[in-house]
């Protein structure tokens, strides 16, 4: 099993990995999945996730530390982002960004699967 791709490649090396080569870290009750595709290390790390949510699947997330910013970009289908109790529909071609320091939920919506790319921007750590 290939491991998670960590940061930019050294020199001019190119690394290619498909979602299927990286084990899902979450699997939903209807077959949805979340895979952590890339972590860019450094003073302010970034995680890149690939998600698939099926209609009616929920992924509730606990609040992250202060300063975490998440962005979801829907490539197919639609999802509902629940943040502070308010529902926000995000459809193919749209992106949403928000502070991740309060409870939030990703919910598959519509009639078919929702595919999205999520980035999680972590605050800078101590120098």
């Amino acid at each position: 099993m290939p491991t998670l791709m960590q940061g930019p490649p050294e020199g001019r090396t190119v690394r290619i990995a498909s979602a299927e080569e990286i084990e899902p870290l979450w699997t939903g009750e209807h077959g949805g999945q979340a895979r952590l595709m890339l972590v860019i290390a450094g003073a302010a790390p970034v995680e890149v996730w690939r998600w698939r949510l099926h209609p009616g699947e929920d992924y509730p997330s606990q609040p992250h530390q202060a300063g975490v910013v998440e962005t979801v970009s829907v490539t197919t289908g639609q999802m509902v982002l629940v943040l502070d109790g308010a529902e926000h529909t995000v459809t193919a071609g749209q992106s949403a960004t928000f502070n991740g320091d309060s409870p939030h939920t990703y919910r598959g919506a519509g009639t078919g699967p929702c595919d999205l790319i999520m980035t999680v921007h972590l605050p800078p750590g101590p120098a």
Side-chain angles (χ1 to χ4, degrees):
M1 169 183 85
T3 59
L4 169 72
M5 297 173 63
Q6 296 271 342
E10 306 260 334
R12 296 190 184 275
T13 302
V14 174
R15 293 175 293 183
I16 299 173
S18 68
E20 293 73 29
E21 293 177 291
I22 297 172
E23 291 294 321
L25 297 178
W26 171 81
T27 301
E29 61 187 58
H30 301 296
Q33 298 180 335
R35 290 179 164 94
L36 180 57
M37 300 299 293
L38 173 69
V39 173
I40 300 171
V46 176
E47 299 174 351
V48 179
W49 292 80
R50 174 179 268 174
W51 282 76
R52 170 166 276 188
L53 296 167
H54 290 273
E57 279 185 324
D58 282 355
Y59 178 80
S61 179
Q62 295 299 315
H64 303 295
Q65 70 191 64
V68 171
V69 176
E70 293 191 27
T71 300
V72 292
S73 298
V74 175
T75 57
T76 59
Q78 75 178 34
M79 66 167 288
V80 173
L81 168 65
V82 182
L83 183 64
D84 294 326
E87 294 188 358
H88 308 273
T89 300
V90 187
T91 61
Q94 293 182 319
S95 296
T97 189
F98 61 96
N99 293 327
D101 58 358
S102 63
H104 49 282
T105 298
Y106 309 108
R107 179 178 302 134
T111 58
C114 173
D115 294 307
L116 63 104
I117 303 297
M118 175 201 303
T119 58
V120 180
H121 300 261
L122 303 169

